[in-house]
Amino acid sequence: MDKFTTLTGIAAPLPLINVDTDMIIPKQFLKTIKRSGLGVNLFDEMRYDSDGNEVEDFVLNKPAYREAKILVSGDNFGCGSSREHAPWAIKDFGISCVIAPSFADIFFNNCFKNGILPIALPQEDVDKLMDDAERGSNAVITVDLDSQTITGPDGGEISFEVDAFKKHCLLNGLDDIGLTLEKVASIDTFEAQAAQSRPWV
Amino acid sequence: MTGKTIYDKIWDAHVAHEAEDGTCLLYIDRHLVHEVTSPQAFEGLRMAGRPVRAPEKTIAVPDHNVPTTLDREEGIKNEESRIQVDALDTNAKEFGINYYPVDDIRQGIVHIVGPEQGWTLPGMTVVCGDSHTATHGAFGALAHGIGTSEVEHVLATQTLIQKKSKNMKVEITGKLSPGVTAKDITLAVIGKTGTAGGTGYVIEYCGEAIRDLSMEGRMTVCNMAIEGGARAGLIAPDETTFEYVKGRPHAPKGAQWEAALNWWKTLYTDDDAVFDKVVTLKGEDIAPVVTWGTSPEDVLPITSVVPSPEDFTGGKVDAARRSLEYMGLKPGTPLSEVAIDAVFIGSCTNGRIEDLRAAAEIVKGKKIAEGVRGMVVPGSGLVRAQAEEEGLAEIFEAAGFEWRLAGCSMCLAMNPDQLAPGERCASTSNRNFEGRQGFKGRTHLMSPAMAAAAAINGKLTDVREVM
């Protein structure tokens, strides 16, 4: 997995609540058997019209935001389906950090498995960053995971919370499965005991 | 020491390892797999040279992509869909997991097949790369959706890295009124708590109205726990549960049945357990409901009118404006005057036999309104066979419905079953998101009986008027 340490880039504003995973990557793009190549279809039904032409006023189509690395959005971001295609599409587009007041549970977890940092902040902090993001290509924000701070274009700092274990994995680009297999003896022991106590499983 | 909730009890029985910061390895008893969220996980195993740790606890079935028309034995015409189903076929054989292929009568929607075959049992941990895994909570199992990376993690280790959620109680007191169903309960709860109301929690549904539900109804309620943001929803097992489970192909038998039953009967929330959040609804206050917008929280009784964006506050004002524009609805319009183009009866929410019976009861001897397209898609091949045996298929066909083969169908339109742009659908599925049932398609969620009533009248209809 890609490491996430610091990220400096343009933040794109998407001031909508309940951005769902069907919006992020519609169902017709879930037929792939690969993880890559989904960036072009990120937010497909908002980004393109029915003829496949770009919708001019959609944020990621505006010249200032085509290279965005950070997305700032509303409450309950990533609700809906468990499709990991959603973070795959976000990452493939080039976005590695999503900032919102709250996230849906499965999407939030999926981000960490793909080198994306989801940051939940109080509404007033998100509002401030949303204002910053509205400034277009001047909206360069820096996210430092180690110090857990976001630095806005005017130099103002906002600190954020992140689970210590998830932070450790992101900073070092660790593979969850490899980490878990280091504890395989615990799994073996548990499995053997469960086979005795709940043999019907 | 305070008592434990049922969630606490199941959690405690499955912790294989706990780190100092509370991060746990949770052992997984059943891993359900479908074709859309698994190919990349199997590919990951293959590249790392890892086997599936517990193939006997892993069950795969194709459902999202499969066509539901009778000609599907000729093969899947869409190439990408066919490749994905073929990949599951290959992976199931190569890794030696339990598998129900497209042409097996037991094939169907993964969340209907699991309980039907007795794979899902009380007290288990159940996961699947699908958010509607919450369905299995109806058995008093801890069941939730996971992403593809986690699918690979479970395949390789039979565990998940988890931190415990908080406990939330949703109590539905008293009795339901005639015409009100499990679907109305679960939609009414989301309407009250919002789509993020359950975020960070595992919900236990309880109360007389929940106890009175059949297993089918309980599955409908738990299925949509995710739509309320919760990690999982569950219901303590009781005689209704045990009765349903007993005799199913993979349910325990003989002495093991007795041993299992003894443990299952301990799976209830202790009287002195403490919940972090409690929501209570009176059964008699719940009406037949429909959704009007593009979020499952946009729920109103069928007797209401389309709301105005100004009825809301905060970010919901803009969201409601956007929803109404997408849905082509004007504030103040009575919901019962909204004309529909299509009706979809099926999905992991409402594709079980009881759902088909409820819909058939409404349409019996009647015809679908002119110009309306109706589709009934059983949740599994076995549900289809039973419905045919009970004469339900004939009722639907006589009314003008298409009687389909099992699959996810128009719930998410990854297959040929889709709405055209602007088409409006009365649907028994679980999500009314933009584009969910087809590009620019418009979805109103409701119960099977309400969808059947809408089919007859050609518009959203209060089922109590046609009962």
Side-chain angles (χ1 to χ4, degrees), chain B residues 174-215:
Chain B
K175 302 275 183 199
L176 298 179
S177 306
V180 179
T181 68
K183 185 64 165 288
D184 300 297
I185 292 180
T186 202
L187 284 171
V189 170
I190 299 162
K192 185 176 167 97
T193 63
T195 48
T199 304
Y201 295 92
V202 165
I203 295 175
E204 179 180 352
Y205 298 95
C206 60
E208 187 183 355
I210 298 291
R211 284 279 143 244
D212 285 349
L213 292 175
S214 65
M215 285 314 295

Coordinates of all heavy atoms in Angstrom, one line a residue, chain B residues 174-215:
Chain B
G174 N -45.6 -2.1 21.2 CA -46.9 -2.3 20.8 C -47.1 -3.1 19.5 O -46.2 -3.7 19.0
K175 N -48.3 -2.9 18.9 CA -48.6 -3.6 17.7 C -48.6 -2.7 16.5 O -48.8 -1.5 16.6 CB -50.1 -4.2 17.8 CG -50.3 -5.1 19.0 CD -49.9 -6.5 18.6 CE -50.2 -7.5 19.8 NZ -49.4 -8.7 19.7
L176 N -48.4 -3.3 15.3 CA -48.5 -2.6 14.0 C -50.0 -2.5 13.6 O -50.7 -3.5 13.9 CB -47.7 -3.3 12.9 CG -46.2 -3.4 13.2 CD1 -45.5 -4.1 12.0 CD2 -45.5 -2.0 13.4
S177 N -50.3 -1.5 12.9 CA -51.7 -1.4 12.4 C -51.8 -2.2 11.1 O -50.7 -2.4 10.4 CB -52.0 0.1 12.1 OG -51.8 0.9 13.2
P178 N -53.0 -2.5 10.6 CA -53.1 -3.3 9.4 C -52.5 -2.5 8.2 O -52.6 -1.3 8.2 CB -54.7 -3.4 9.2 CG -55.2 -3.3 10.6 CD -54.3 -2.3 11.3
G179 N -51.8 -3.2 7.3 CA -51.2 -2.5 6.2 C -49.8 -2.0 6.4 O -49.1 -1.6 5.6
V180 N -49.4 -2.1 7.7 CA -48.0 -1.7 8.1 C -47.1 -2.9 8.2 O -47.5 -3.9 8.9 CB -48.1 -0.9 9.4 CG1 -46.7 -0.4 9.8 CG2 -49.0 0.3 9.2
T181 N -46.0 -2.9 7.7 CA -45.1 -4.0 7.6 C -43.7 -3.7 8.1 O -43.4 -2.6 8.5 CB -44.9 -4.5 6.1 OG1 -44.2 -3.5 5.4 CG2 -46.3 -4.7 5.4
A182 N -42.8 -4.8 8.1 CA -41.4 -4.6 8.5 C -40.7 -3.5 7.7 O -39.9 -2.8 8.3 CB -40.7 -6.0 8.3
K183 N -41.0 -3.4 6.5 CA -40.4 -2.4 5.6 C -40.8 -1.0 6.1 O -39.9 -0.1 6.2 CB -40.9 -2.5 4.2 CG -40.2 -1.6 3.2 CD -38.7 -1.9 3.1 CE -38.0 -1.3 1.9 NZ -38.3 -1.9 0.6
D184 N -42.0 -0.8 6.6 CA -42.4 0.5 7.1 C -41.7 0.8 8.4 O -41.3 1.9 8.7 CB -44.0 0.5 7.3 CG -44.7 0.3 5.9 OD1 -44.5 1.1 5.0 OD2 -45.3 -0.8 5.8
I185 N -41.5 -0.3 9.2 CA -40.7 -0.1 10.5 C -39.3 0.4 10.1 O -38.9 1.5 10.7 CB -40.6 -1.4 11.3 CG1 -41.9 -1.9 11.8 CG2 -39.6 -1.2 12.4 CD1 -41.9 -3.2 12.6
T186 N -38.6 -0.3 9.3 CA -37.2 0.1 9.1 C -37.1 1.4 8.4 O -36.2 2.2 8.7 CB -36.5 -1.1 8.3 OG1 -35.1 -1.0 8.6 CG2 -36.8 -1.2 6.9
L187 N -38.0 1.7 7.4 CA -38.0 3.1 6.8 C -38.3 4.2 7.8 O -37.7 5.2 7.9 CB -38.9 3.1 5.6 CG -38.4 2.4 4.3 CD1 -39.6 2.4 3.3 CD2 -37.2 3.1 3.7
A188 N -39.3 3.9 8.7 CA -39.7 4.9 9.7 C -38.6 5.2 10.6 O -38.4 6.3 11.0 CB -41.0 4.4 10.4
V189 N -37.8 4.1 11.0 CA -36.7 4.3 11.9 C -35.7 5.2 11.3 O -35.2 6.2 11.9 CB -36.1 3.0 12.3 CG1 -34.8 3.2 13.1 CG2 -37.1 2.2 13.2
I190 N -35.3 5.0 10.0 CA -34.3 5.8 9.3 C -34.9 7.2 9.1 O -34.1 8.2 9.2 CB -34.0 5.2 7.9 CG1 -33.4 3.8 8.1 CG2 -33.0 6.0 7.2 CD1 -33.4 2.9 6.9
G191 N -36.2 7.3 8.8 CA -36.8 8.7 8.7 C -36.6 9.5 10.0 O -36.4 10.7 10.0
K192 N -36.6 8.7 11.1 CA -36.5 9.4 12.4 C -35.0 9.7 12.8 O -34.7 10.8 13.2 CB -37.1 8.6 13.5 CG -37.1 9.2 14.9 CD -37.9 8.3 15.9 CE -37.7 8.8 17.3 NZ -38.7 9.6 17.8
T193 N -34.1 8.7 12.6 CA -32.7 8.9 13.0 C -31.8 9.5 12.0 O -30.8 10.0 12.3 CB -32.1 7.5 13.4 OG1 -32.1 6.7 12.2 CG2 -32.9 6.8 14.5
G194 N -32.3 9.5 10.7 CA -31.4 10.0 9.6 C -30.4 8.9 9.2 O -30.2 7.9 9.9
T195 N -29.8 9.1 8.0 CA -28.9 8.1 7.5 C -27.6 8.0 8.2 O -26.8 7.1 8.0 CB -28.6 8.3 6.0 OG1 -28.2 9.7 5.8 CG2 -29.8 8.0 5.1
A196 N -27.3 9.0 9.1 CA -26.1 8.9 9.9 C -26.4 8.6 11.3 O -25.4 8.6 12.2 CB -25.2 10.1 9.7
G197 N -27.6 8.5 11.7 CA -28.0 8.3 13.1 C -27.4 7.1 13.8 O -27.3 7.1 15.0
G198 N -27.1 6.1 13.0 CA -26.5 4.9 13.5 C -25.0 4.8 13.4 O -24.4 3.8 13.8
T199 N -24.4 5.8 12.8 CA -22.9 5.7 12.6 C -22.2 5.5 13.9 O -22.3 6.3 14.8 CB -22.4 7.0 11.8 OG1 -23.2 7.1 10.6 CG2 -20.9 6.9 11.5
G200 N -21.3 4.5 13.9 CA -20.5 4.2 15.1 C -21.2 3.2 16.0 O -20.7 2.8 17.1
Y201 N -22.4 2.8 15.7 CA -23.2 1.9 16.6 C -23.5 0.5 15.9 O -23.6 0.4 14.7 CB -24.6 2.5 16.9 CG -24.5 3.8 17.7 CD1 -24.4 5.0 17.1 CD2 -24.4 3.8 19.1 CE1 -24.4 6.2 17.8 CE2 -24.4 4.9 19.8 CZ -24.3 6.1 19.2 OH -24.2 7.3 19.9
V202 N -23.8 -0.4 16.8 CA -24.5 -1.6 16.4 C -25.9 -1.5 17.0 O -26.0 -1.3 18.2 CB -23.8 -2.9 16.9 CG1 -24.7 -4.1 16.8 CG2 -22.5 -3.1 16.0
I203 N -26.9 -1.7 16.2 CA -28.3 -1.5 16.7 C -28.9 -2.8 17.1 O -28.8 -3.8 16.4 CB -29.2 -0.9 15.5 CG1 -28.8 0.5 15.1 CG2 -30.7 -0.9 16.0 CD1 -29.5 1.0 13.9
E204 N -29.5 -2.9 18.3 CA -30.4 -4.0 18.6 C -31.8 -3.5 18.4 O -32.3 -2.6 19.1 CB -30.2 -4.5 20.0 CG -31.1 -5.7 20.3 CD -31.0 -6.3 21.7 OE1 -30.0 -5.9 22.5 OE2 -31.8 -7.1 22.1
Y205 N -32.6 -4.2 17.6 CA -34.0 -3.9 17.4 C -34.8 -4.8 18.4 O -34.5 -6.0 18.5 CB -34.5 -4.3 16.0 CG -33.8 -3.4 14.9 CD1 -32.7 -3.9 14.2 CD2 -34.3 -2.2 14.6 CE1 -32.1 -3.2 13.2 CE2 -33.7 -1.4 13.6 CZ -32.6 -1.9 12.9 OH -32.1 -1.2 11.9
C206 N -35.7 -4.2 19.1 CA -36.4 -5.0 20.1 C -37.8 -4.4 20.3 O -38.1 -3.4 19.7 CB -35.7 -5.1 21.4 SG -35.4 -3.4 22.2
G207 N -38.6 -5.0 21.2 CA -39.9 -4.5 21.4 C -41.0 -5.4 20.8 O -40.6 -6.3 20.0
E208 N -42.2 -5.3 21.3 CA -43.3 -6.2 20.9 C -43.4 -6.3 19.4 O -43.6 -7.4 18.8 CB -44.6 -5.8 21.5 CG -45.7 -6.8 21.3 CD -47.0 -6.3 21.9 OE1 -47.1 -5.3 22.6 OE2 -48.0 -7.1 21.7
A209 N -43.4 -5.2 18.7 CA -43.6 -5.2 17.2 C -42.6 -6.0 16.5 O -42.8 -6.6 15.4 CB -43.8 -3.8 16.7
I210 N -41.3 -6.0 17.0 CA -40.2 -6.7 16.4 C -40.4 -8.2 16.7 O -40.3 -9.1 15.8 CB -38.9 -6.2 17.0 CG1 -38.6 -4.7 16.6 CG2 -37.7 -7.1 16.5 CD1 -38.4 -4.5 15.1
R211 N -40.7 -8.5 18.0 CA -41.0 -9.9 18.4 C -42.0 -10.6 17.6 O -42.0 -11.8 17.3 CB -41.4 -10.0 19.9 CG -40.3 -9.8 20.9 CD -39.5 -11.0 21.1 NE -38.2 -10.7 21.3 CZ -37.1 -11.0 20.5 NH1 -37.3 -11.8 19.5 NH2 -35.9 -10.6 20.7
D212 N -43.1 -9.8 17.2 CA -44.2 -10.3 16.4 C -43.8 -10.6 15.0 O -44.6 -11.2 14.3 CB -45.4 -9.3 16.5 CG -46.1 -9.3 17.8 OD1 -45.8 -10.2 18.6 OD2 -46.9 -8.4 18.1
L213 N -42.7 -10.1 14.5 CA -42.4 -10.3 13.1 C -41.9 -11.7 12.8 O -41.3 -12.4 13.7 CB -41.2 -9.3 12.7 CG -41.5 -7.8 12.6 CD1 -40.3 -7.0 12.3 CD2 -42.6 -7.5 11.6
S214 N -42.1 -12.2 11.6 CA -41.6 -13.5 11.1 C -40.1 -13.2 10.9 O -39.6 -12.1 10.9 CB -42.2 -13.8 9.8 OG -41.9 -12.8 8.9
M215 N -39.3 -14.3 10.6 CA -37.9 -14.2 10.3 C -37.8 -13.3 9.0 O -36.8 -12.5 8.9 CB -37.3 -15.5 10.1 CG -37.0 -16.3 11.4 SD -36.2 -15.3 12.7 CE -34.7 -14.9 12.0

